[in-house]
């Protein structure tokens, strides 16, 4: 399709109901994307990014389409922003003719999506919080199966355009996004990956990290034509009178009652009054004081609600049923200060950093339609500066002192702040260490929290349930449903530690992937998903997390859904419509890999990738695996004499006689016998479940063979024979003897160890490219299996 301004304008207006602003046209039609989009709040940055990307992917000239990544990764600091952006993206793509269910996905608050990662060849929009997206980009995805970490790592570093929204709220997460882009450019990717930073208040120098600062960054902002554009001009000229409030807040007296009286006296019926406070506890106290005074419509939004409760509180405010703006008093924290499309006549705000204040001002008289719009700011003593620094508050006070109006025009003449990247910065060495997703010998993982959020914001996620014997400290039953997004609440690690100390015998439980059971967790680290018994308290559905033992949640557990993060779990082996021959499955997966090769093209080792795809499940011919697959069949069943089989129709297969047996290790060892110099192929075969990657070692509690000194790992024993197999299309694997020499450190004969070979492979290809090839095999495997799943199970 010929790319033209008139065509884009007509298309954009058909989706949004208004013509694009000039800068939005420039974004969509320019030969190259900018690095920074710097426009004021309320100017349509979200539509610019989503619809500009969609135009470039679907309707631009061929060269632009090929240069535009398939995945748009919209990274935001707050879950409130994710909800709104996700809803907008769904509506826009539906109007553009793309079903939102197939093309728009949320990643927030513990949600683990499976559908999008099976389609790396599809144009998709991922909208998520910095916790969920950055943890996945660091190969330590919060609240998801550890064995899918490499999969999401690959898809978030190849063929993707990251959009970093409201950067002033991201703290160290902003530094991490800059470093990851710099490392992608330095180490190389299989397919292009770009980053777009969007903000009205991006401080100069904040992106100058060690691996990005050498490259000049391009910026797109408003031009004169934008300032004259109908609608946008009115927003830019909106007046917002600035007044200092008389409310006094101290550590001993938060002034809640006087504050509530002041808010009620200033509020006008039929309008929105927005109150933004810096701490959840102060917001909860003011909300309760307003409720006790019978103030009518009053709502509370902050980041310490469970997803189900948060949705119930937010929906009337952000998505009113009659499409008329919600009116009343909204008490909120930073969760509402950026990106949320609210238009208050009156804004009360506590003193905060200057960039945060600018964002809060953007929620007042947003459309420029109020004549008497007003912002009242409340000073804070230095001891209550958190989560901001004293220097940040002093800087904001100095700026406020010289202003009588905080509309966009009044603020546009102020000098831009200068800053340095927030430490610590992710280093090349850190990234390489994170590529290895196997826990240490104590079962612990590298902590990425310091690269995701500032230390005082480090969170875990909690669910509350009741189960038998929960008062006696017994863990939940092993068959408890997996924790679900709707029942999880973010709680600070320090706050939870203090609460558990106060609660005496209370314990937090964590699901263990090593043995498929719940265990009491003593070592709390950010990103964990934990389960607490209901009786310990700490949560109120109307207030959110309070840390008060007298407040009790209700049980929101799902009716079903077993945890999949178990070392022995293999969701792709059981549950097919019938048994599937190994030769048939090998052919299916090879065909799926060829289809991916046609879609992606490029100079990639497609022939080698197809070979690895065909050989990946050879280890299933091992007698131990075949006995497990056939164990539940009745005597005389014809399938007992057939095979070898790769898949079964048993929803719950029999337990393997060797604890921790991993067929993919047997596959890789056999592959190396047939292809001794193909390190990449061996790695791809071994890694197709994410459980055997850079090293080979026994799993915890693994039963060793009877012979003393005989090597063993992951249920495979040194020196045992493995039959050959037909791998489809005339490819035959000969019988071999499995050798585990390579698991030892150092060379064995004339060959380096497995670990040495795999680390050299990682460094030669780079972690991003290697992970992408690994994921192509996993996607082809899953799609090959889905050919034989019941129809209702194929949308995994």
């Amino acid at each position: 399709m010929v790319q033209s301004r008139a065509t884009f304008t007509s298309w954009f207006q058909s989706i949004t109901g208004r013509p694009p602003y000039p800068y939005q046209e420039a974004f969509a039609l320019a030969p190259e994307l900018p690095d920074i989009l710097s426009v004021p709040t309320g100017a349509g940055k979200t539509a610019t990014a989503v619809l500009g990307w969609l135009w470039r992917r679907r309707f631009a000239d061929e060269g632009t389409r090929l240069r535009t990544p398939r995945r748009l990764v919209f990274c935001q600091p707050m879950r409130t922003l994710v909800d709104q952006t996700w809803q907008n993206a769904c509506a826009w793509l539906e109007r553009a003719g793309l079903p939102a269910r197939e093309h728009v996905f949320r990643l927030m608050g513990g949600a683990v999506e499976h559908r999008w990662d099976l389609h790396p060849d599809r144009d998709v929009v991922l909208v998520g919080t910095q916790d969920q997206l950055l943890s996945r980009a660091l190969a330590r995805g919060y609240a998801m199966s550890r064995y899918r970490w490499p999969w999401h790592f690959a898809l978030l570093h190849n063929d993707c355009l990251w959009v970093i929204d409201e950067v002033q709220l991201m703290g160290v997460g902003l530094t991490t996004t800059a470093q990851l882009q710099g490392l992608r450019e330095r180490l190389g990717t299989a397919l292009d990956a770009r980053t777009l930073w969007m903000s009205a208040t991006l401080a100069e120098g904040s992106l100058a990290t060690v691996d990005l600062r050498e490259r000049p960054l391009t910026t797109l902002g408003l031009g004169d034509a934008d300032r004259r554009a109908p609608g946008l001009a009115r927003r830019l000229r909106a007046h917002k009178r600035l007044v200092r409030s008389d409310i006094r807040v101290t550590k001993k007296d938060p002034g809640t009652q006087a504050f509530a009286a002041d808010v009620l006296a200033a509020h006008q019926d039929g309008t929105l009054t927005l109150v933004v406070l810096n701490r959840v506890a102060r917001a909860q106290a003011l909300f309760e004081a307003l409720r006790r005074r019978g103030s009518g419509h009053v709502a509370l939004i902050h980041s310490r609600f469970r997803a189900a409760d948060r949705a119930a509180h937010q929906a009337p405010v952000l998505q009113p049923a009659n499409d008329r703006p919600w009116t009343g008093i909204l008490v909120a924290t930073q969760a509402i200060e950026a990106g949320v499309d609210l238009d208050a006549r009156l804004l009360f705000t506590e003193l905060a950093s200057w960039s945060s204040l600018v964002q809060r001002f953007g929620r007042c008289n947003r459309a420029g339609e109020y004549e008497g719009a007003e912002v009242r700011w409340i000073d804070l003593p230095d001891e209550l500066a958190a989560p901001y620094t004293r220097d940040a508050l002093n800087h904001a006070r100095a700026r406020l002192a010289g202003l009588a109006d905080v509309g966009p025009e009044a603020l546009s003449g102020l000098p831009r702040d200068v800053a340095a990247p927030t430490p610590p910065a992710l280093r090349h060495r850190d990234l390489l260490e994170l590529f290895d997703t196997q826990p240490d010998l104590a079962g612990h993982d590298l902590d990425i929290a310091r690269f995701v959020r500032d230390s005082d914001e480090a969170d875990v996620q909690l669910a509350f349930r009741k189960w038998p014997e929960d008062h006696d400290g017994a863990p939940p039953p092993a068959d408890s449903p997996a924790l679900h997004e709707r029942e999880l609440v973010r709680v600070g690690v320090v706050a939870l530690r203090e609460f558990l100390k106060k609660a005496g015998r209370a314990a937090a439980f964590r699901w263990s992937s090593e043995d498929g059971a719940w265990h009491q967790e003593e070592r709390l680290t950010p990103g964990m998903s934990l389960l607490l018994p209901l009786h310990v308290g700490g949560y109120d559905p109307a207030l959110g997390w309070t840390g008060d033992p007298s407040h009790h949640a209700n049980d929101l557990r799902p009716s079903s859904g077993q945890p999949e993060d178990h070392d022995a779990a293999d969701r792709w082996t059981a549950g097919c419509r019938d048994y599937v021959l190994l030769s048939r499955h090998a052919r299916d997966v090879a065909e799926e890999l060829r289809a991916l090769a046609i879609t992606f093209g490029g100079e990639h080792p497609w022939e080698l990738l197809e070979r690895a795809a065909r050989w990946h499940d050879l280890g299933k011919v091992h007698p131990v695996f075949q006995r497990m697959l056939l164990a539940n069949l009745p005597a005389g069943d014809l399938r007992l004499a057939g095979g070898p089989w790769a898949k079964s129709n048993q929803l719950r297969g029999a337990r393997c006689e060797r604890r921790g047996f991993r067929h993919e290790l047997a596959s890789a060892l056999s592959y190396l016998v047939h292809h001794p110099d193909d390190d990449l192929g061996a790695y791809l075969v071994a890694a197709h479940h994410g459980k055997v990657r850079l090293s080979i070692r026994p799993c915890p509690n693994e039963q060793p063979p009877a012979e003393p000194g005989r090597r063993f790992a992951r249920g495979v024993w040194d020196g045992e024979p493995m039959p050959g197999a037909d791998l489809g299309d005339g490819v035959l694997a000969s019988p071999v003897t499995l050798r585990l020499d390579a698991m030892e450190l150092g060379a064995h004969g004339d060959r380096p160890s497995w670990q040495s070979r795999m680390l050299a492979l990682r460094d030669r290809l780079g972690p991003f490219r290697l992970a992408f090839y690994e994921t192509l095999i996993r996607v082809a495997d899953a799609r090959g299996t889905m050919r034989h799943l019941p129809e209702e199970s194929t949308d995994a």
Side-chain angles (χ1 to χ4, degrees):
M1 181 178 292
V2 177
Q3 185 176 15
S4 72
R5 186 176 302 275
T7 305
F8 172 74
T9 297
S10 175
W11 176 81
F12 187 97
Q13 187 163 4
S14 72
I15 293 174
T16 65
R18 64 164 182 83
Y21 301 133
Y23 89 89
Q24 293 175 318
E25 292 179 346
F27 181 90
L29 303 179
E32 296 292 341
L33 289 169
D35 298 299
I36 299 170
L37 185 61
S38 179
V39 296
T41 59
K45 294 191 298 294
T46 302
T48 303
V50 174
L51 295 180
W53 163 83
L54 183 60
W55 172 267
R56 299 173 73 90
R57 272 297 305 163
R58 292 290 174 127
F59 307 108
D61 61 85
E62 183 179 5
T64 300
R65 291 200 302 271
L66 292 175
R67 291 193 303 272
T68 304
R70 287 178 173 82
R71 277 176 295 287
L72 181 69
V73 184
F74 220 107
C75 180
Q76 298 181 307
M78 302 289 184
R79 287 182 291 182
T80 309
L81 306 180
V82 171
D83 282 328
Q84 184 169 281
T85 301
W86 175 78
Q87 289 159 4
N88 287 335
C90 286
W92 292 332
L93 265 70
E94 287 283 356
R95 292 173 199 152
L98 279 73
R101 188 174 183 274
E102 298 177 6
H103 295 276
V104 188
F105 301 91
R106 257 184 311 192
L107 292 168
M108 52 177 270
V112 179
E113 293 277 358
H114 290 310
R115 287 181 291 127
W116 70 270
D117 59 16
L118 288 171
H119 302 283
D121 47 350
R122 181 181 291 174
D123 293 346
V124 297
V125 180
L126 306 177
V127 188
T129 59
Q130 71 185 77
D131 305 79
Q132 293 298 321
L133 290 173
L134 289 182
S135 65
R136 283 163 167 74
L138 295 171
R140 293 296 182 278
Y142 290 168
M144 66 176 292
S145 168
R146 68 181 305 111
Y147 305 117
R148 294 177 82 92
W149 288 349
W151 195 330
H152 285 201
F153 173 84
L155 297 183
L156 292 175
H157 289 295
N158 294 275
D159 207 9
C160 55
L161 169 61
W162 279 74
V163 176
I164 313 301
D165 196 14
E166 306 302 348
V167 299
Q168 74 285 346
L169 297 177
M170 292 190 68
V172 71
L174 177 62
T175 302
T176 299
T177 65
Q179 267 299 90
L180 286 175
Q181 181 60 36
L183 288 168
R184 286 191 287 263
E185 294 175 9
R186 173 182 169 186
L187 301 176
T189 57
L191 297 168
D192 287 345
R194 297 284 306 272
T195 303
L196 173 71
W197 291 275
M198 301 198 311
S199 177
T201 55
L202 179 62
E204 292 183 6
S206 56
L207 299 178
T209 62
V210 63
D211 284 294
L212 190 64
R213 63 191 178 199
E214 299 302 321
R215 177 170 71 83
L217 302 179
T218 58
T219 301
L220 175 64
L222 299 186
D224 291 339
D226 293 294
R227 296 181 178 90
R228 295 191 300 268
L232 183 54
R234 186 177 66 248
R235 288 173 179 260
L236 296 176
R237 293 168 188 157
H239 291 290
K240 309 172 189 186
R241 179 170 173 258
L242 181 67
V243 178
R244 177 168 175 167
S245 172
D246 294 331
I247 296 296
R248 291 180 57 81
V249 178
T250 66
K251 197 168 186 178
K252 291 185 178 180
D253 179 14
T256 302
Q257 298 304 321
F259 196 175
D262 202 24
V263 171
L264 288 173
H267 174 68
Q268 291 183 9
D269 289 342
T271 68
L272 171 64
T273 295
L274 176 61
V275 185
V276 185
L277 306 179
N278 297 346
R279 307 298 291 186
V280 171
R282 290 203 292 273
Q284 291 168 329
L286 178 61
F287 172 73
E288 290 212 279
L290 290 168
R291 281 203 306 178
R292 284 195 296 268
R293 289 170 177 262
S295 58
H297 279 184
V298 58
L300 174 67
I301 295 179
H302 58 72
S303 61
R304 304 302 186 187
F305 278 112
R306 295 181 299 189
D309 298 326
R310 184 183 69 252
H313 292 302
Q314 286 182 185
V317 179
L318 302 182
Q319 302 101 39
N322 56 8
D323 290 330
R324 297 178 60 186
W326 185 85
T327 60
I329 301 170
L330 174 59
V331 181
T333 60
Q334 295 91 328
I336 210 76
E337 76 180 30
V340 178
D341 193 9
L342 291 173
D343 197 350
R345 183 196 68 84
L346 176 62
L347 168 67
F348 287 85
T349 174
E350 289 184 334
L351 185 66
S353 68
W354 179 246
S355 60
S356 287
L357 286 176
V358 171
Q359 297 299 326
R360 297 179 191 186
F361 299 156
R363 304 318 115 200
C364 178
N365 201 15
R366 188 172 176 84
E369 296 177 349
Y370 289 113
E371 291 295 331
E374 188 173 277
V375 174
R376 300 186 185 183
W377 69 280
I378 302 152
D379 205 351
L380 295 175
D382 286 347
E383 62 265 24
L384 296 180
Y388 309 103
T389 65
R390 295 181 181 185
D391 289 344
L393 295 193
N394 286 332
H395 175 63
R397 284 191 194 99
R399 288 232 163 146
L400 291 172
L403 293 170
D405 185 278
V406 288
E409 278 193 342
L411 299 179
S412 64
L414 297 176
R416 176 166 292 188
D417 289 340
V418 177
T422 302
L426 179 80
R427 300 163 298 176
H428 180 201
R429 182 179 67 188
D430 298 319
L431 180 71
L432 295 183
E433 289 177 350
L434 290 167
F435 186 82
D436 186 358
T437 53
Q438 190 165 10
D440 63 23
L441 294 177
H444 299 145
D445 294 300
L446 292 173
D447 183 11
I448 62 165
R450 65 192 187 278
F451 302 127
V452 174
R453 281 194 185 269
D454 295 337
S455 58
D456 62 341
E457 297 179 326
D459 293 336
V460 295
Q461 296 190 96
L462 292 183
F464 301 87
R465 292 179 182 176
K466 181 174 178 58
W467 62 87
E469 295 86 36
D470 61 359
H471 282 77
D472 299 325
D479 61 353
S480 298
L483 299 182
H484 191 274
E485 169 195 6
R486 66 191 304 269
E487 61 178 330
L488 291 167
V489 58
R490 282 176 46 210
V491 176
V493 172
V494 174
L496 180 58
R497 286 180 184 141
E498 293 175 352
F499 173 75
L500 292 176
K501 287 180 182 177
K502 287 190 299 183
R505 294 177 60 194
F509 295 92
R510 186 185 186 196
W511 174 258
S512 168
S513 62
E514 298 292 335
D515 59 5
W518 295 90
H519 296 278
Q520 184 171 334
E521 184 60 63
E522 303 286 352
R523 182 177 177 263
L524 303 182
T525 58
M528 286 181 170
S529 294
L530 302 169
L531 182 57
L532 264 64
L534 279 178
H535 70 83
V536 304
Y539 185 90
D540 184 304
L543 297 174
W545 170 260
T546 63
D548 185 339
S550 68
H551 292 155
H552 293 281
N554 53 328
D555 193 329
L556 294 177
R557 80 178 72 196
S559 58
S560 62
Q562 298 304 312
E564 294 176 355
D565 192 8
H566 183 356
D567 182 69
D570 183 354
R571 64 194 297 262
W572 297 117
T573 291
C576 290
R577 292 189 299 270
D578 201 347
Y579 275 65
V580 179
L581 286 167
L582 176 62
S583 57
R584 173 64 185 273
H585 179 59
R587 186 168 65 250
D588 289 341
V589 178
E591 289 173 357
E592 291 290 345
L593 196 284
R594 282 199 296 274
L596 291 170
I598 292 171
T599 299
F600 288 113
E603 298 298 321
H604 302 292
W606 292 116
E607 184 176 345
L608 186 154
L609 292 172
E610 183 182 336
R611 185 172 69 197
R614 186 180 297 278
W615 284 70
H616 79 286
D617 265 355
L618 174 60
K620 288 184 175 181
V621 77
H622 194 291
V624 164
F625 191 91
Q626 289 297 303
R627 285 195 292 268
M628 177 191 70
L629 214 59
L630 301 171
N632 291 338
L633 292 178
D637 191 299
L638 293 178
R639 288 169 294 192
L640 292 171
W645 306 101
K647 309 288 177 182
S648 81
N649 63 358
Q650 302 176 50
L651 292 177
R652 291 182 178 274
R655 184 177 295 275
C656 185
E657 64 194 54
R658 292 188 192 174
R659 182 181 179 90
F661 179 81
R662 296 309 314 169
H663 68 272
E664 62 266 34
L665 175 57
S667 299
L669 295 176
S670 179
Y671 184 90
L672 278 178
V673 174
H674 292 86
H675 308 282
D677 298 318
D678 185 4
D679 290 352
L680 175 57
Y683 174 82
L684 297 176
V685 169
H688 78 267
H689 282 289
K691 300 179 182 184
V692 181
R693 299 180 74 237
L694 297 184
S695 60
I696 300 173
R697 70 184 192 215
C699 66
N701 305 316
E702 183 173 344
Q703 185 67 36
E707 302 89 337
R710 187 178 184 181
R711 296 186 185 95
F712 66 96
R714 312 311 301 263
V716 176
W717 296 352
D718 187 55
E720 63 180 334
M722 194 175 82
D726 179 358
L727 297 179
D729 298 322
V731 178
L732 300 176
S734 304
V736 299
T737 299
L738 298 178
R739 295 295 181 189
L740 282 167
D741 316 57
M743 70 181 289
E744 306 289 351
L745 296 178
H748 52 99
D750 60 346
R751 295 285 181 181
S753 69
W754 173 274
Q755 186 176 59
S756 296
R757 294 173 72 168
M758 297 306 113
L759 290 176
L761 175 70
R762 178 203 65 187
D763 294 341
R764 175 167 58 85
L765 291 179
F768 305 125
R769 188 178 287 108
L770 179 56
F772 185 71
Y773 294 157
E774 177 181 349
T775 295
L776 289 177
I777 302 299
R778 297 186 71 170
V779 169
D781 182 22
R783 289 185 179 183
T785 301
M786 289 167 65
R787 296 183 179 189
H788 303 280
L789 294 179
E791 289 187 9
E792 63 272 15
S793 303
T794 56
D795 194 13

